[in-house]
Amino acid sequence: MRYGINNWVYPGESLRTSFERLARFGYDGIELKGELDEFPKETVQALCEEFGLEVISILGWCIYPIPGRDLASTDAAERAAAQNYMHEVIEYAAEVGAGIVLTLPFPAGRLAPLSKPGDEAAWRAAKQHEWDLAVDSVRGLAEYATKFDITLTIEPINRFETYQINTLADGLRFIEAVGAPNVRLNLDTFHMNIDEPDPVGAIRKAGSLLAHMHVADSNHMPPGNGHVDFKAVMQALHDIDFAGAIVLEAVPPGSDAGLAVSMPSNLPLRDQYAEQTIRYLKQLEAAVTA
Ligand code: LER
Ligand code: MN
């Protein structure tokens, strides 16, 4: 397996510090938050070279209500801006050698259709309309990504962060609707613990469509600190011949993830979480491959 950490959990930290931590604990690479102006590609390329690390993936930062990031918006200008933004992410990924771009067809943090439907029939119609818009947007992105040999992954995220694509079943239905071979799945153990009826079964069912994994425990802490069965997760990944990377998104306790990852008193946890996770998962990996 290849292992990485997403750097959205390291706000305010220099890239050098993040790369140095990843190298020190034996990670293979980094997943970059898709705020590209913060990470000049020349700096990233030089650090990859210096530390022997790769950029595994870029997380398209489609977070509501950041303007120009909503691929499902009913406002055509907003949708076009989001597509342009994702084109830039795809181009950046190709330039730093990352093969995966994580794509949120519905921005994290938006929990209802923009039209704020007042009854069930209106809700269903609005939901379907935004679904169709998102499918259309992602189909366009997939075509664009083909030119750069980039795979787009769709991550089902929990109901407290989006009102569409909460489960593997939703993700599979979305990918089928898009109908492009370079659109695949990214599962996240934290989100699956909330909305997936059978998280380990979902990994098995995703099979060869699973291109990328995010890990955190049930409480968003590093694997081993909650009740996700990571041994069964690692066994399932092994059994499906998972060839992607496992990327950590661990967050210290607190109701506001953005605040929790930036609190000065939590900074020492960055090393601790990185060290614990790779040690624990590699131990489980050895056990399931023995
Ligand atoms: C993104 O990978 C994710 O897991 C979301 O919770 C971010 O809002
Ligand atoms: Mn995730």
Side-chain angles (χ1 to χ4, degrees):
M1 295 295 174
R2 282 147 64 235
Y3 293 90
I5 301 184
N6 190 304
N7 76 337
W8 75 260
V9 299
Y10 299 150
E13 178 170 284
S14 74
L15 276 173
R16 168 166 293 280
T17 302
S18 308
F19 272 75
E20 189 279 326
R21 176 183 304 110
L22 287 159
R24 180 158 33 106
F25 294 120
Y27 284 83
D28 299 285
I30 192 163
E31 176 172 289
L32 290 172
K33 169 185 175 184
E35 285 295 3
L36 307 176
D37 294 345
E38 292 177 31
F39 313 120
K41 47 182 179 289
E42 299 73 19
T43 310
V44 169
Q45 284 157 339
L47 288 169
C48 282
E49 183 89 5
E50 180 179 341
F51 288 99
L53 294 169
E54 58 173 315
V55 181
I56 295 169
S57 41
I58 315 288
L59 172 60
W61 200 242
C62 293
I63 306 291
Y64 190 75
I66 302 175
R69 302 286 168 92
D70 191 339
L71 292 163
S73 177
T74 45
D75 174 346
E78 165 65 18
R79 232 168 37 249
Q83 275 165 315
N84 282 340
Y85 160 73
M86 288 302 294
H87 286 176
E88 284 171 21
V89 174
I90 290 164
E91 288 161 21
Y92 179 101
E95 285 180 69
V96 297
I100 301 267
V101 168
L102 287 79
T103 308
L104 295 172
F106 304 90
R110 182 153 78 74
L111 301 177
L114 289 165
S115 59
K116 298 194 171 45
D119 59 38
E120 184 178 347
W123 175 281
R124 285 183 188 283
K127 185 176 178 189
Q128 183 62 46
H129 183 48
E130 289 196 358
W131 174 276
D132 294 341
L133 293 172
V135 166
D136 197 53
S137 293
V138 173
R139 196 178 287 137
L141 294 182
E143 197 181 328
Y144 192 73
T146 305
K147 295 181 210 153
F148 300 91
D149 208 15
I150 298 280
T151 296
L152 305 180
T153 60
I154 306 298
E155 179 175 337
I157 62 177
N158 76 73
R159 69 184 67 188
F160 306 108
E161 296 188 41
T162 181
Y163 84 104
Q164 303 233 38
I165 315 191
N166 301 126
T167 61
L168 172 75
D170 298 333
L172 288 173
R173 201 161 53 85
F174 188 85
I175 287 171
E176 194 184 1
V178 172
N182 60 337
V183 179
R184 295 171 66 199
L185 280 164
N186 164 205
L187 292 174
D188 180 322
T189 54
F190 170 72
H191 297 298
M192 283 200 290
N193 173 66
I194 296 171
D195 270 312
E196 207 60 69
D198 173 7
V200 173
I203 293 173
R204 294 185 183 282
K205 188 164 181 201
S208 61
L209 272 178
L210 187 64
H212 193 69
M213 272 302 288
H214 274 172
V215 288
D217 217 318
S218 48
N219 47 8
H220 232 158
M221 303 265 287
N225 290 274
H227 58 249
V228 170
D229 183 350
F230 277 100
K231 177 140 192 233
V233 166
M234 296 302 281
Q235 183 72 58
L237 291 173
H238 172 68
D239 292 347
I240 64 165
D241 294 323
F242 177 68
I246 297 180
V247 168
L248 176 68
E249 285 188 318
V251 178
S255 57
D256 180 334
L259 190 59
V261 292
S262 27
M263 279 183 175
S265 64
N266 283 334
L267 296 186
L269 295 174
R270 294 180 179 182
D271 279 0
Q272 202 178 304
Y273 285 5
E275 194 272 334
Q276 271 180 22
T277 298
I278 197 155
R279 183 164 32 86
Y280 181 55
L281 294 184
K282 282 198 167 174
Q283 232 171 45
L284 294 177
E285 184 185 348
V288 301
T289 53

